[in-house]
Amino acid sequence: SLAELYRNEKRYALIIGNSGYKHIPALRNPINDASDMAMALEDLNFEVLLLTDATYMEIRSAFLKLHQKLLDGLKDQTVGLVYYSGHGLQHDGENYLVPVDAKIEYEDDIPRQCFPVQKIILSNMERSNSRMNILVLDACRNNSFPQITRTVNHGLAEMKTGKGSFIAYATAPGSTASDGVGRNGLYTQEVLKAIEKPGLTIEQVFKEVRINVLRLSGEQQYTWDSSNITGEFYFNLDIPDSLVSQK
């Protein structure tokens, strides 16, 4: 069975949900998104570190803890995942997570107060012993920094991945999605459903998410994936032996 095949796999996740921003409009869903994602991943054998309404230093400290676990993990048996729900932005080709304490008044505030995805998160995960690095970014809300609109592009930029990384975005590069009106944002709502389905590969999970988000948004929100993985990954390993033999 899949459970037997991956019995030695160690799974580590950092989950961040930022809603209560101090200097820009609050968001409805991210804390719920992050809390629900943490519970779902714990049920799927991830060791989870959950942060809500996190400052820059809290994000940095938590990522250092995750990175150390990935460095200490056994090659080919370690998986790392970072999930983020909240405000995000791109600037000069870099994507940033926006901490709740960020006060962005000028262009140079961005690299000083926001947390870089490619430079810190992705690059360090790829230099660890993790066989697969998964980034799930529900961070494509509309720009909440009108004072620097001319220097900040809409949405997130597509990231070029190294070997063994799978990056999932709530919307296509350069586009945005509005905050949801229910408990969860539309994208995270569908991710939570898809990862629970037994025996789906990671590619199948996010294809299902894309189909459902597109349908439920009236074809207004296109999700996006970027991948350079070389192995298989299953969120839910609970699948009958008869189906495994057919793969």
Side-chain angles (χ1 to χ4, degrees), residues 9 20 72-73 77 98 129 155 186 190 192 197 217 231:
E9 183 172 82
D72 294 340
Q77 294 183 5
V98 183
N129 282 334
L186 175 58
E190 295 307 312
L192 288 167
K197 294 193 173 182
S217 67

Side-chain angles (χ1 to χ4, degrees), residues 12-16 63 66 70 80-84 97 121 125 133-137:
Y12 302 102
L14 171 59
I15 310 298
I16 307 169
F63 181 71
L66 172 69
L70 301 184
L81 183 149
V82 172
Y83 167 89
Y84 175 78
L97 311 183
I121 296 177
M125 291 178 77
N133 308 297
I134 304 166
L135 269 66
V136 183
L137 301 173

Side-chain angles (χ1 to χ4, degrees), residues 58-191:
E58 288 169 340
I59 295 173
R60 182 179 185 276
S61 176
F63 181 71
L64 284 171
K65 292 177 182 177
L66 172 69
H67 186 228
Q68 190 60 53
K69 290 182 180 294
L70 301 184
L71 287 173
D72 294 340
L74 296 176
K75 275 188 174 295
D76 301 324
Q77 294 183 5
T78 304
V79 172
L81 183 149
V82 172
Y83 167 89
Y84 175 78
S85 180
H87 281 299
L89 53 82
Q90 62 162 301
H91 174 66
D92 281 347
E94 172 68 272
N95 291 316
Y96 292 91
L97 311 183
V98 183
V100 293
D101 58 343
K103 187 174 184 181
I104 309 300
E105 297 176 320
Y106 300 100
E107 184 176 346
D108 66 346
D109 290 327
I110 298 171
R112 292 190 298 105
Q113 298 189 38
C114 298
F115 201 80
V117 178
Q118 293 101 301
K119 184 178 179 181
I120 300 297
I121 296 177
L122 186 60
S123 64
N124 281 288
M125 291 178 77
E126 290 180 343
R127 288 197 292 265
S128 73
N129 282 334
S130 177
R131 76 172 182 88
M132 188 171 296
N133 308 297
I134 304 166
L135 269 66
V136 183
L137 301 173
D138 194 352
C140 302
R141 273 72 173 186
N142 292 328
N143 178 26
S144 294
F145 305 98
Q147 66 275 25
I148 54 171
T149 296
R150 287 181 293 181
T151 62
V152 175
N153 296 319
H154 292 291
L156 298 181
E158 184 172 14
M159 293 177 274
K160 300 191 184 306
T161 67
K163 179 181 176 181
S165 293
F166 188 99
I167 306 172
Y169 307 82
T171 65
S175 61
T176 61
S178 60
D179 201 24
V181 296
R183 173 174 174 81
N184 300 115
L186 175 58
Y187 179 71
T188 292
Q189 166 190 297
E190 295 307 312
V191 173

Side-chain angles (χ1 to χ4, degrees), residues 8-59:
N8 295 321
E9 183 172 82
K10 300 299 183 182
R11 301 173 163 198
Y12 302 102
L14 171 59
I15 310 298
I16 307 169
N18 281 352
S19 291
Y21 287 89
K22 298 177 181 178
H23 305 291
I24 53 177
L27 295 171
R28 180 191 300 271
N29 303 120
I31 287 182
N32 292 337
D33 289 342
S35 299
D36 293 350
M37 186 64 65
M39 290 180 61
L41 291 178
E42 285 177 345
D43 288 342
L44 296 171
N45 300 319
F46 278 84
E47 180 181 316
V48 175
L49 177 57
L50 171 64
L51 291 181
T52 57
D53 283 349
T55 65
Y56 181 99
M57 292 306 297
E58 288 169 340
I59 295 173

